[in-house]
Amino acid sequence: MEIKRFYKTQRELASTLNNIVDAYWENMISEEELIANISEVYCNNTKKILKQNDFTTILKQQCGKRRLEVIERVLHINDLLNNEKSIG
């Protein structure tokens, strides 16, 4: 699975995050790869992922609640996200 570091649009970013989580759910990548990929994408594209400690509207629409729960959990595990809940 090839993942870019920087994304031009939130929709492109959401699509990549969907692919990462889906690949994990389908046992195509390991848990370590899931965590590493999400962390790298987040660190390089923070402003496209979060606005005011909440996932952006486009990410919520494109990724859905279940995927965002996984993404949020990975970010908490790596101390990349505040302890506030981002999805509701």
Side-chain angles (χ1 to χ4, degrees), residues 20-35:
I20 293 169
V21 174
D22 289 349
Y24 171 71
W25 282 341
E26 295 168 6
N27 296 318
M28 295 170 58
I29 63 171
S30 68
E31 189 171 315
E32 291 77 22
E33 289 173 296
L34 169 80
I35 292 169

Side-chain angles (χ1 to χ4, degrees), residues 1-7 16 19-20 29 33 36-38 40-41:
M1 170 179 277
E2 187 175 329
I3 298 170
K4 296 192 301 187
R5 289 183 187 225
F6 304 100
Y7 291 89
T16 297
N19 291 339
I20 293 169
I29 63 171
E33 289 173 296
N37 289 336
I38 290 176
E40 183 174 354
V41 168

Side-chain angles (χ1 to χ4, degrees), residues 29-62:
I29 63 171
S30 68
E31 189 171 315
E32 291 77 22
E33 289 173 296
L34 169 80
I35 292 169
N37 289 336
I38 290 176
S39 298
E40 183 174 354
V41 168
Y42 174 78
C43 287
N44 292 316
N45 300 278
T46 306
K47 291 183 179 182
K48 288 184 180 74
I49 295 176
L50 294 178
K51 297 276 193 229
Q52 299 172 352
N53 291 331
D54 195 12
F55 287 110
T56 63
T57 302
I58 290 176
L59 252 66
K60 287 179 183 178
Q61 291 170 345
Q62 298 290 313

Side-chain angles (χ1 to χ4, degrees), residues 8 14 78:
K8 185 175 180 179
N78 289 328

